[in-house]
Amino acid sequence: MKRGLIVYLVGGAELPEDFDLASCCEKIGFPADRVELVGSQQGFYDVGDAWHHLITKGYGDIKLLVAQTDQKCLRPIHPLVRLSG
């Protein structure tokens, strides 16, 4: 089963253009085959849209990570939430 991860970015921060979201998630212990971003200025507008996108792409194991950024990597602020799978 393909693993998808939705990163919900809080605090209104934006990720730099060269930020490798998938690599950063793997580095902090949340590996996934595909990572989608939900933020105020970047990525999807809400979690539901990102979740639907992953489901339509064939991802069955989908998790949600609520995090803040320090411009170098992500800092989880809540435990990982399983949305499906």
Side-chain angles (χ1 to χ4, degrees), residues 15-66:
L15 298 178
E17 289 290 323
D18 61 342
F19 193 88
D20 186 354
L21 186 59
S23 169
C24 181
C25 289
E26 187 171 338
K27 189 166 101 175
I28 62 172
F30 303 109
D33 297 314
R34 184 173 184 139
V35 180
E36 298 294 349
L37 178 67
V38 175
S40 61
Q41 303 295 322
Q42 297 171 306
F44 287 92
Y45 180 70
D46 65 22
V47 172
D49 288 343
W51 189 5
H52 182 264
H53 178 74
L54 288 171
I55 288 172
T56 60
K57 295 292 183 186
Y59 291 82
D61 180 19
I62 302 172
K63 296 192 172 51
L64 171 67
L65 175 65
V66 179

Side-chain angles (χ1 to χ4, degrees), residues 64-84:
L64 171 67
L65 175 65
V66 179
Q68 291 179 326
T69 181
D70 64 3
Q71 301 301 324
K72 294 181 183 176
C73 203
L74 298 173
R75 185 173 52 91
I77 58 173
H78 291 286
L80 197 64
V81 176
R82 182 174 55 126
L83 299 177
S84 60

